[in-house]
Amino acid sequence: MTESRDIRIEHLLREHAPRVLGAVIRRFRDFGASEDAVQEALLAAALQWPREGVPDDPRAWLIQVASRRITDHVRAETARRHREALVVSLVPPELQLVMSLDGDELAGRDDALVLLFMCCHPALSTASAIALTLRAVGGLTTAEIAKAFLVPEATMAQRISRAKQSIKSSGVPFQKPTPEERAQRLGAVLHVLYLIFNEGYTATSGPELHRTDLSGEAIRLTRMLHALLPEDGEVAGLLALMLLTDARRAARTGPAGELIPLDAQDRSLWDAGMIAEGIALISATLSRARWGCTGAGGHRGGA
């Protein structure tokens, strides 16, 4: 019973983390400080919720706790450094003290889409965009991302830190993209999601053909994007591609990890649910979708 409750809380925190981070960044305009504060709020929830129960509005609870963490941090810095650089980079403390959840936050505004688009900022390299997306939107730790891409954790930490600084220096406001901005940047978002999936489905390095942590995360993030942009045929097309491709995963390798060609695969091992979902997406969007889907090039997982 306790284990089941803890698992439910873990999934709840994972689900809310990018939305909370998006809301806090939108309020305080500082990526690094906001991420630190949200991590503290998530830790507080992981410790308190099993004992005290999950609050009625978990997202609002997390936003309030994270906001208090930033306020406390600013107060300490103000006293110690006499309003030096950190205070300048954040909303002035006197405003923070009176800030409450705004109308959008009370209405349950979802900032995850904005955060996803921010992580795929055109100023970032593809590698940095992938790392930052997995960190901020996917909720993976720096160590997990470094392990997935077979680089030292310190290297990945530097890559993510530079990406955050590039976004901060760009001066791009954290706000819902206009239709024009969304059209301009959606291709980059889809490209990054596709590359994450492709790396997980057919790994370019390491001992295993599949990295299900990456392919599964790409599908989860693309589902989220599709839920937020249900009428976009490009998004639906990418999600369908991922589902129909990943449905064959269990049949792609033999007992020794060898690759099994498509015509020799045991089709009873294919995931019928994922296939049905992928076909349904295509059927619903084929007549109105713009295909050519990600601009990421051909899928390399031929089997």
Side-chain angles (χ1 to χ4, degrees):
M1 181 71 176
T2 300
E3 183 178 355
S4 176
R5 180 195 59 196
D6 291 345
I7 292 175
R8 184 175 68 87
I9 290 176
E10 180 181 348
H11 285 300
L12 188 63
L13 292 175
R14 185 179 182 85
E15 174 188 350
H16 282 292
R19 297 168 175 84
V20 172
L21 178 58
V24 175
I25 291 175
R26 179 162 60 90
R27 177 185 293 188
F28 292 99
R29 302 293 193 272
D30 188 296
F31 203 119
S34 297
E35 186 182 33
D36 290 344
V38 170
Q39 290 300 315
E40 291 185 34
L42 293 172
L43 177 59
L47 295 174
Q48 294 181 32
W49 291 3
R51 299 194 313 264
E52 303 173 8
V54 177
D56 293 336
D57 190 339
R59 180 176 177 275
W61 189 96
L62 290 166
I63 291 172
Q64 291 283 28
V65 171
S67 298
R68 284 199 297 269
R69 294 293 190 274
I70 292 184
T71 298
D72 292 343
H73 187 57
V74 172
R75 282 174 169 170
E77 288 295 314
T78 301
R80 187 164 63 90
R81 298 184 180 182
H82 304 289
R83 301 180 183 273
E84 288 184 342
L86 181 59
V87 177
V88 175
S89 70
L90 299 177
V91 176
E94 63 270 20
L95 295 182
Q96 292 181 25
L97 295 177
V98 299
M99 290 174 89
S100 59
L101 292 179
D102 61 26
D104 283 341
E105 289 164 349
L106 289 171
R109 165 178 167 153
D110 195 335
D111 285 295
L113 175 61
V114 186
L115 184 59
L116 183 57
F117 275 75
M118 174 177 277
C119 290
C120 296
H121 192 283
L124 300 181
S125 68
T126 299
S128 295
I130 291 174
L132 192 59
T133 299
L134 289 172
R135 182 72 185 90
V137 188
L140 276 66
T141 66
T142 303
E144 288 171 333
I145 301 169
K147 182 179 179 181
F149 288 96
L150 301 180
V151 299
E153 183 176 351
T155 299
M156 185 57 68
Q158 290 176 355
R159 183 179 298 173
I160 293 173
S161 178
R162 286 195 299 267
K164 293 177 185 176
Q165 186 58 45
S166 295
I167 289 176
K168 184 176 181 180
S169 301
S170 72
V172 175
F174 188 81
Q175 60 188 19
K176 184 176 181 179
T178 66
E180 293 76 16
E181 291 170 335
R182 190 172 70 192
Q184 291 171 358
R185 295 173 67 171
L186 182 59
V189 171
L190 296 178
H191 182 69
V192 166
L193 291 174
Y194 178 85
L195 291 177
I196 293 172
F197 174 81
N198 217 25
E199 180 62 28
Y201 187 75
T202 307
T204 56
S205 57
E208 298 181 355
L209 178 67
H210 300 133
R211 292 182 185 172
T212 55
D213 55 338
L214 292 180
S215 58
E217 188 61 24
I219 291 174
R220 188 184 77 86
L221 294 176
T222 308
R223 283 187 195 278
M224 180 184 72
L225 185 58
H226 176 59
L228 294 168
L229 299 173
E231 301 301 319
D232 192 288
E234 293 281 343
V235 178
L238 178 59
L239 180 56
L241 172 66
M242 289 180 178
L243 292 170
L244 294 172
T245 303
D246 200 55
R248 304 195 308 270
R249 176 163 40 88
R252 292 183 68 225
T253 54
E258 70 278 12
L259 185 64
I260 299 177
L262 180 62
D263 57 1
Q265 290 178 10
D266 179 357
R267 299 195 176 194
S268 67
L269 297 177
W270 290 5
D271 190 315
M274 296 180 79
I275 292 173
E277 184 180 356
I279 292 175
L281 280 167
I282 292 174
S283 299
T285 60
L286 186 57
S287 62
R288 57 181 170 79
R290 294 181 295 109
W291 296 94
C293 134
T294 67
H299 177 66
R300 68 172 180 252

